């Protein structure tokens, strides 16, 4: 498919837009086509799945009873049609369209970068750019449990409001509440650095979420909630960050923003290609 | 979650970056973010401008209404500033949450525009807004709406106000003689020639009246709707407010929200296009040493030159496009 990033509209999009579905009343505005071309990079070719779809695009030409309709799909004249722009996901019989925009939707195993917003008696409430605050219970916060055994725990001595942490999603309850856990609460507090906020859809769950740059002593944590933290490597902590570290972090942050600006997936490999 | 939070690590990081003259987005201490100006998007307003300074987004509309001049400046019009913090910008602005910030911004704009006793010398020459001395004048309502808070609100709002006033096309007003009950029209002298416009110098021999006339004709005014006849305001003398903050002892300009959380002292300096200082306000809680204060004013003057150039080139481009579209 030819993509013209300058115009944002490419020829094959107009072909797909003329689908004979009854959703033809929804005009394929330039903005929709621009979004499609912008997120082209997210589609993985050769996987047997369609990459990015627009409203009205046909996903399954003949949708028989074995196909389970998920969110974002509609049955029109016997074929399965997308009702929102996004990426098609197939899980056995289930076919759904995952939206590209919107708040972060947590799933078990995601690594997130969050900010403590409230300190309670036995837990912290964390802002992970989702629709609700996530919970970090004291019991799951590794090292603090040992302290608790010795006596009353001062929650604020471990983490206070405003602190940035890197945590993993342990569970997502049926009411939508997200529960986080960390190996060690004190160590999860991120050292001096900066956070770059980008759309969560651009950061997919991957094997490695942390990337180190040994030469300059900085590291980056790629949170699936769209918060990318870049800063000094905690292991080699100096009292004050040096000028090379500051410049390296600024370079990496600019690289992340540039990739996000053109809709590229943010992975450690992608950032390393731009900032070796 | 109303007030933005920041961690100690981020504060240390920003302070270190500022000391090395490399901020988080790669800017130097005295660099502005990208300034985008859009003129005339509000068709119903006399003049309008939208200014985007990085993430900060402000719309200013100017509405000209007929009103009464101040008693101490009868030959001048008036400018009234109002600022509204939209809940779109932050959930903290729901209801009356944004009142404090909006009144602070409006007062800051007013202070930078104080005119002399004749109406001149301030940002806009108010004497051109007079219609009938002591009775009628144009009142310009300048209303700003904050759409997104991205730091450095004062600078963005003052730049947008200047752009909106430069875009304003005040309708042409013709003062016509008042109608006398007999239906005869008397010749009325234009304002600026007569002290009080309610007496008419009659040259009509049929009326048979001598000067000063005993009959009082209230002057009337006619507003000309023709846009090509409208008066353009000269906003070139209007100052722009520059906020200079101290982070770790260094003077920094155009702060983002995160950087503002690291700064304990700031100075707002209103500087005009020729570099003259029109107003100074000290902000935030920490005290500033006198020599540092002078340095901050100099930084503001340098930064203002940058912003004035960017703004005037944007204005010239947009107004040129408008001319081409019309002509």
């Amino acid at each position: 498919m030819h993509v013209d990033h300058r115009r944002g509209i490419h020829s094959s999009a107009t072909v797909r837009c003329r689908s004979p579905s009854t959703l033809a009343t929804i005009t394929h505005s330039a903005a929709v086509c621009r979004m499609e071309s912008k997120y082209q990079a997210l589609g993985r070719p050769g996987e047997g799945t369609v990459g990015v779809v627009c409203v009205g695009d046909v996903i399954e030409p003949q949708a028989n009873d074995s196909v389970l309709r998920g969110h974002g799909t509609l049955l029109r004249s016997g074929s399965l049609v997308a009702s929102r722009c996004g990426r098609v996901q197939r899980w056995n019989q289930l076919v759904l369209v995952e939206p590209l925009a919107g708040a972060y939707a947590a799933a078990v195993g995601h690594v997130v970068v969050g900010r403590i917003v409230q300190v309670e008696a036995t837990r912290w409430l964390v802002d992970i750019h989702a629709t609700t605050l996530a919970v970090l219970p004291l019991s799951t916060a590794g090292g603090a449990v040992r302290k608790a055994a010795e006596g009353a725990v001062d929650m604020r001595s471990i983490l206070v409001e405003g602190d940035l942490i890197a945590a993993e999603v342990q569970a997502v309850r049926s009411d939508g509440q997200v529960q986080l856990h960390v190996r060690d609460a004190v160590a999860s507090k991120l050292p001096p650095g900066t956070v770059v906020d980008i759309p969560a859809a651009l950061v997919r769950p991957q094997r490695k979420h942390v990337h180190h740059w040994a030469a300059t002593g900085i590291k980056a944590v790629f949170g699936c909630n769209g918060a990318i933290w870049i800063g000094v490597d905690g292991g080699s902590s100096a009292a004050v960050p040096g000028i090379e570290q500051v410049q390296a972090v600024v370079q990496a942050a600019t690289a992340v923003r540039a990739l996000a600006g053109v809709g590229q997936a943010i992975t450690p490999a992608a950032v390393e290609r731009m900032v070796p | 979650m109303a007030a933005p939070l920041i961690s100690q690590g981020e504060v240390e990081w920003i302070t270190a970056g500022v000391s090395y003259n490399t901020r988080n987005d790669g800017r130097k201490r005295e660099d502005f973010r990208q300034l985008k100006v859009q003129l005339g998007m509000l068709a119903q307003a006399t003049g309008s401008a939208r200014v985007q300074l990085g993430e900060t987004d402000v719309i200013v509309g100017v509405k000209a209404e007929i009103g009464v001049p101040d008693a101490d400046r009868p030959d001048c019009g008036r400018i009234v500033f109002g600022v509204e913090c939209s809940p779109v910008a932050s959930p903290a602005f729901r209801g009356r949450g944004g009142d404090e910030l909006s009144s602070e911004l409006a007062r800051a704009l007013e202070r930078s525009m104080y005119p002399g006793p004749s109406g001149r010398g301030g940002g806009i020459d108010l004497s051109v807004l007079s219609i009938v001395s002591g009775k009628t004048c144009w009142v310009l309502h300048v209303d700003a709406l904050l759409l997104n808070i991205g730091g450095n609100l004062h600078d963005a709002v003052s730049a947008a106000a200047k752009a909106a006033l430069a875009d304003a096309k005040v309708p042409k007003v013709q003062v016509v003689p008042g109608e006398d009950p007999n239906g005869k029209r008397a010749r009325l002298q234009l304002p600026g020639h007569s002290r009080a416009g309610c007496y008419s110098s009659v040259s009509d021999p049929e009326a048979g009246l001598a000067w000063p006339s005993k009959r009082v004709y209230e002057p009337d005014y006619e507003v000309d709707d023709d846009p090509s006849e409208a008066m353009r305001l000269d906003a070139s003398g209007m100052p722009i407010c520059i906020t200079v903050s101290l982070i770790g002892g260094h003077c920094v300009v155009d702060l983002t929200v995160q950087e503002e959380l690291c700064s304990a002292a700031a100075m707002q300096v209103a500087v005009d296009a020729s570099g003259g200082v029109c107003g100074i306000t000290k902000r935030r809680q920490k005290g500033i040493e006198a020599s540092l204060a002078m340095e901050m004013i100099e930084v503001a003057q340098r930064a203002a030159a940058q912003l004035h150039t960017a703004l005037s080139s944007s204005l010239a481009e947009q107004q040129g496009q408008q001319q081409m579209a019309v002509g």
Side-chain angles (χ1 to χ4, degrees):
Chain A
M1 231 185 279
H2 168 69
V3 174
D4 188 341
H5 286 289
R6 280 164 302 160
R7 282 185 310 135
I9 301 169
H10 49 98
S11 50
S12 55
T14 48
V15 170
R16 288 164 70 179
C17 293
R18 279 190 231 121
S19 64
S21 74
T22 51
L23 292 168
T25 47
I26 299 168
T27 52
H28 282 263
S29 63
V32 160
C33 294
R34 232 179 289 136
M35 179 152 63
E36 185 189 38
S37 68
K38 187 175 169 184
Y39 288 109
Q40 271 302 309
L42 295 179
R44 288 182 289 255
E47 231 187 305
T49 61
V50 176
V52 172
V53 291
C54 275
V55 174
D57 285 346
V58 174
I59 305 170
E60 291 273 0
Q62 264 98 40
N64 48 20
D65 287 334
S66 69
V67 170
L68 280 172
R69 283 195 314 106
H71 288 300
T73 60
L74 278 175
L75 206 57
R76 294 280 165 178
S77 324
S79 55
L80 203 63
V81 153
S83 68
R84 62 162 94 132
C85 295
R87 177 212 288 271
V88 173
Q89 293 281 343
R90 292 167 202 269
W91 304 94
N92 298 329
Q93 309 301 322
L94 175 67
V95 180
L96 57 93
V97 178
E98 192 191 318
L100 293 169
Y104 166 59
V108 176
H110 282 190
V111 170
V112 294
V113 170
R115 194 184 293 277
I116 309 287
V117 291
Q118 223 171 302
V119 180
E120 296 187 351
T122 54
R123 63 186 197 168
W124 294 274
L125 294 182
V126 186
D127 173 20
I128 56 170
H129 299 317
T131 45
T132 53
L133 297 175
V135 167
L136 178 67
L138 186 58
S139 53
T140 64
V145 179
R146 279 194 293 276
K147 279 191 199 167
E150 294 157 23
V153 174
D154 180 13
M155 300 286 283
R156 281 182 200 283
S157 65
I158 306 166
L159 292 170
V160 289
E161 288 95 340
D163 281 346
L164 283 172
I165 60 163
E168 197 182 319
V169 176
Q170 186 178 51
V172 180
R173 295 225 304 247
S174 53
D175 60 359
Q177 192 188 65
V178 177
Q179 192 160 299
L180 305 173
H181 76 121
V182 294
R183 228 172 285 140
D184 185 353
V186 179
S188 72
K189 189 155 78 168
L190 293 166
T194 183
V195 172
V196 181
D197 282 319
I198 53 163
L202 295 176
V203 189
R204 314 294 301 161
Q206 44 214 302
R207 279 206 344 259
K208 272 181 58 184
H209 279 268
V210 184
H211 184 79
H212 298 262
W213 279 269
T216 39
I218 64 167
K219 76 172 179 187
V221 177
F222 294 81
C224 296
N225 60 336
I228 316 283
W229 179 86
I230 313 171
V232 292
D233 209 336
S236 58
S237 60
V240 174
I243 186 167
E244 304 87 23
Q245 290 179 315
V246 167
Q247 285 175 343
V249 166
V250 169
Q251 265 188 309
T254 314
V256 169
R257 276 191 214 104
L259 288 170
V262 293
Q264 292 282 323
I266 311 290
T267 63
V271 179
E272 178 156 31
R273 234 177 287 135
M274 292 189 72
V275 184
Chain B
M1 261 202 285
L5 295 167
I6 196 167
S7 69
Q8 192 54 37
E10 283 171 294
V11 172
E12 277 174 37
W13 184 261
I14 289 172
T15 313
V18 164
S19 69
Y20 298 134
N21 211 7
T22 310
R23 289 149 80 174
N24 271 346
D25 44 9
R27 282 185 291 154
K28 295 203 167 30
R29 289 193 282 263
E30 294 184 24
D31 282 347
F32 273 94
R33 287 170 288 182
Q34 192 192 21
L35 179 77
K36 281 193 232 171
V37 180
Q38 217 181 324
L39 292 179
M41 341 80 61
L42 301 176
Q44 298 300 318
T46 310
S48 58
R50 179 182 182 181
V51 163
Q52 286 166 291
L53 191 60
E55 301 247 312
T56 304
D57 201 345
V58 180
I59 288 187
V60 173
V62 178
K63 196 89 180 90
E65 284 175 3
I66 305 280
V68 182
D70 280 335
D72 50 351
R73 285 204 199 93
D75 291 316
C76 296
R78 290 191 287 132
I79 303 188
V80 179
F81 290 97
V83 177
E84 195 192 313
C85 300
S86 161
V88 163
S90 162
F93 294 154
R94 267 195 309 251
R96 304 190 70 88
D99 279 2
E100 200 184 308
L101 179 63
S102 44
S103 61
E104 192 186 295
L105 288 167
R107 269 203 302 271
L109 277 175
E110 264 172 38
R111 271 202 300 269
S112 66
M113 297 276 288
Y114 278 148
S118 62
R120 296 186 197 91
I124 302 273
D125 183 2
L126 294 178
S127 58
V128 305
L129 297 174
S130 174
I131 301 171
V132 178
S133 171
K135 287 265 166 192
T136 325
C137 69
W138 283 113
V139 179
L140 298 180
H141 291 272
V142 180
D143 293 302
L145 179 67
L146 302 182
L147 292 176
N148 197 27
I149 311 286
N152 205 20
L153 290 171
H154 282 86
D155 299 17
V157 168
S158 78
K162 176 167 176 163
L165 284 166
D167 182 54
K169 299 171 208 51
V170 179
K172 183 176 170 190
V173 165
Q174 202 148 20
V175 183
V176 294
E179 291 208 335
D180 78 340
N182 298 338
K184 285 194 184 133
R185 283 178 158 256
R187 217 169 238 298
L188 186 74
Q189 286 175 343
L190 291 169
H193 297 279
S194 62
R195 280 277 137 199
C198 45
Y199 286 93
S200 58
S201 157
V202 179
S203 60
D204 187 354
E206 289 181 34
L209 295 167
W211 170 263
S213 160
K214 291 207 173 62
R215 238 176 275 182
V216 172
Y217 299 137
E218 279 298 315
D220 206 354
Y221 49 86
E222 277 176 9
V223 178
D224 194 344
D225 280 333
D226 189 358
S228 58
E229 293 284 321
M231 168 177 67
R232 270 233 120 100
L233 293 171
D234 180 18
S236 59
M238 190 169 156
I240 299 184
C241 174
I242 306 287
T243 307
V244 183
S245 308
L246 282 178
I247 297 180
H250 296 275
C251 301
V252 198
V253 154
D254 195 16
L255 272 64
T256 59
V257 175
Q258 298 266 295
E259 288 169 338
E260 278 178 353
L261 293 169
C262 303
S263 155
M267 195 116 90
Q268 270 163 6
V269 189
V271 184
D272 63 17
S274 57
V277 173
C278 303
I280 305 175
T281 310
K282 153 89 178 46
R283 297 270 181 210
R284 300 208 196 109
Q285 66 271 24
K286 197 162 161 236
I288 306 176
E289 218 182 14
S291 55
L292 198 51
M294 289 311 298
E295 197 190 311
M296 289 168 91
I297 295 173
E298 279 166 32
V299 168
Q301 284 174 310
R302 280 199 298 271
Q306 231 188 93
L307 198 54
H308 273 289
T309 318
L311 189 65
S312 50
S313 60
S314 284
L315 287 175
E317 193 188 308
Q318 299 246 347
Q319 282 167 349
Q321 279 172 358
Q322 280 175 357
Q323 290 280 339
M324 279 169 56
V326 168

